[in-house]
């Protein structure tokens, strides 16, 4: 009986290809490690930058949410000196009566609190510090979601009689009295006047570059009559007021109602410009998110350049490897290795280098992001899409970088390759 002819397989099993690739890479460990370096740096940079950007954004959102996301700020107009704008709230275009009218006439307004703000220096027993002085009414704690941690806030009698009492921010308390001291009952001096400390606010941190704890609060009536001393013609001048709506969805309606009410009260008719400005916490969150997003994309793109450099490095090393292993390729092809088998081996080597480098880069990036979050005290956020993107990018880099060297190796003539030294 004639035995059937056995056809040798023209393809090499994937496991065997992978084993040969790992063996070749391990035999040149230093060169392999240096080749991976570009991919490691690129992937680690992308993940670190993305994580830090998301962490900072989340921290800011949490801080703003802590002060109330259903809150809108209405600022008085802009004063100009020598043609230079002094910033929103610098002109005396809003009054306490405006705020009270909004509170009573705007259906979307749950609560309204007016404030008058100046920078000042406060003194206690030889200790002094520069801070922000806010004259506020009784609704401030509710609207701004900040309450005394120690002592109490003002009462109606304090407001009606312009009593010289004060509530300190936690940072001011620490600088004047020390964090372990009880400041209640002590007197501090504000612009030459003596004010009795009746409370210390709970710490809130910094939001939008403004330290919520570096503040001193006094009754709005006292601030107007004794500190600022410049009441408006019709009422008490204020820097602005905060409006609290029932929920986030009511902010748009509140903005419409406040705008029209203030235009009527201030006799403003189109095309006259408004002498006030509105902004809400949602706008601040969105604006900050856009800024952080753009910054993250920009820095991530810059970090991605190192991936390109890493890909070029892989391509160069693989080309050198083809030249160094020309005789080996010739022997393999002489004993029956096909072009596709040689192509698969060199392409697999390039991809393996990139995948291992990508895995190390992901681990390094996550570690750096965690360290940054602990050091700068913001939430540690690593999204799955950034890790997946890192793996896809590293694999793609290896695939692209390995194509030309692998193709060159597969096209070598076995006879010419065997003659090579």
């Amino acid at each position: 009986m004639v035995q059937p002819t056995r056809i040798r397989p023209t393809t090499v099993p994937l496991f065997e290809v992978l084993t040969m690739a790992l063996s070749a890479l391990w035999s040149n460990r230093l060169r392999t490690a240096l080749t991976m370096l570009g991919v490691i740096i690129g992937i680690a940079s992308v993940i670190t930058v993305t994580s830090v950007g998301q962490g900072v954004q989340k921290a800011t959102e949490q801080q703003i949410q802590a002060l109330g996301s259903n809150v809108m700020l209405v600022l008085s107009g802009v004063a100009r000196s020598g043609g230079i704008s002094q910033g929103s709230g610098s002109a005396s275009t809003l009054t306490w009566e405006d705020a009270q009218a909004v509170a009573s006439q705007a259906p979307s307004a749950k609560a309204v609190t007016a404030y008058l703000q100046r920078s000042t220096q406060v003194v206690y027993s030889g200790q002094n510090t520069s801070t922000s002085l806010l004259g506020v009414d009784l609704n401030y704690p509710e609207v701004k979601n900040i309450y005394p941690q120690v002592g109490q806030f003002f009462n109606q009698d304090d407001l009606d009689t312009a009593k010289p009492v004060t509530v300190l921010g936690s940072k001011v308390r620490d600088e004047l009295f020390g964090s372990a001291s009880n400041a209640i009952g002590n007197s501090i001096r504000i612009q030459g006047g003596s004010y009795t400390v009746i409370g210390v606010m709970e710490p809130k941190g910094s939001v939008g570059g403004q330290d919520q704890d570096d503040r001193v609060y006094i009754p709005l009536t006292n601030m107007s009559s004794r500190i600022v001393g410049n009441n408006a013609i019709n009422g008490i001048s204020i820097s602005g007021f905060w409006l609290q709506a029932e929920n986030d969805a009511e902010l748009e309606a509140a903005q419409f109602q406040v705008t029209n009410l203030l235009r009527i009260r201030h006799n403003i008719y189109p095309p006259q410009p408004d002498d006030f400005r509105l902004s809400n916490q949602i706008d601040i969150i969105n604006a900050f998110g856009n800024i952080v997003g753009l910054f993250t994309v920009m820095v991530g793109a810059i970090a991605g350049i190192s991936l390109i450099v890493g890909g070029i490095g892989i391509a160069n090393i693989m080309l050198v490897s083809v030249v160094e292993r020309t005789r080996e390729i010739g022997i393999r092809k002489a004993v029956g290795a096909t072009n596709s088998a040689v192509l698969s081996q060199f392409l697999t080597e390039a991809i393996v280098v990139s995948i291992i480098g990508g895995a190390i880069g992901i681990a390094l990036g996550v570690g750096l992001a965690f360290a940054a979050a602990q050091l700068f005290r913001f939430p540690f956020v690593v999204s799955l899409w950034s890790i997946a993107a890192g793996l896809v990018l590293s694999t793609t880099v290896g695939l692209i970088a390995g194509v030309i060297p692998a193709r060159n190796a597969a096209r070598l003539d076995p006879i010419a390759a065997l003659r090579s030294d």
Side-chain angles (χ1 to χ4, degrees), residues 8-61:
R8 290 177 57 186
T10 57
T11 59
V12 181
L14 178 60
F15 177 77
E16 186 177 340
V17 173
L18 188 59
T19 302
M20 289 188 294
L22 290 172
S23 176
L25 294 174
W26 182 252
S27 63
N28 294 279
R29 294 184 290 277
L30 178 60
R31 185 174 68 186
T32 301
L34 293 175
T35 305
M36 290 179 184
L37 193 58
V39 176
I40 293 173
I41 294 174
I43 297 297
S45 300
V46 170
I47 290 181
T48 303
V49 168
T50 302
S51 175
V52 168
Q54 291 177 332
V56 170
Q57 183 175 353
K58 189 171 184 62
T60 303
E61 289 178 359

Side-chain angles (χ1 to χ4, degrees), residues 12 31 35 37 50 95-96 137 163 187 194 260 287 298 368 397 404:
V12 181
R31 185 174 68 186
T35 305
L37 193 58
T50 302
T95 64
W96 193 12
D137 59 25
K163 189 175 292 186
S187 294
S194 179
N260 286 287
M298 180 187 70
L368 290 173
V397 165
I404 295 177

Side-chain angles (χ1 to χ4, degrees), residues 96-111:
W96 193 12
E97 288 68 24
D98 286 330
Q100 292 170 332
V102 168
S104 61
Q105 299 177 36
S108 298
K110 178 182 178 183

Side-chain angles (χ1 to χ4, degrees), residues 215-230:
R215 290 178 172 177
V216 172
Y217 304 90
I218 63 176
L220 177 60
T221 48
N222 182 285
M223 177 82 165
S224 176
S225 60
R226 300 190 183 185
I227 303 296
V228 178
N230 62 335

Side-chain angles (χ1 to χ4, degrees), residues 115-191:
Y115 73 94
L116 187 54
Q117 184 171 8
R118 294 290 187 274
S119 296
T120 191
Q121 193 148 356
V122 295
V123 182
Y124 171 75
S125 185
Q127 299 292 328
N128 66 85
T129 183
S130 296
T131 186
S132 292
L133 178 65
L134 270 75
V136 298
D137 59 25
L138 306 184
N139 292 330
Y140 189 86
E142 177 189 356
V143 174
K144 294 293 290 175
N145 191 30
I146 180 171
Y147 297 90
Q149 186 179 48
V150 180
Q152 63 183 22
F153 202 69
F154 316 128
N155 57 37
Q156 190 64 51
D157 181 62
D158 296 333
L159 195 65
D160 292 340
T161 61
K163 189 175 292 186
V165 292
T166 182
V167 178
L168 306 180
S170 59
K171 182 176 180 180
V172 178
R173 184 272 314 273
D174 294 347
E175 292 180 351
L176 292 181
F177 298 93
S179 58
S181 300
N182 183 11
I184 307 300
N186 291 293
S187 294
I188 64 173
R189 299 195 68 80
I190 303 174
Q191 292 194 1

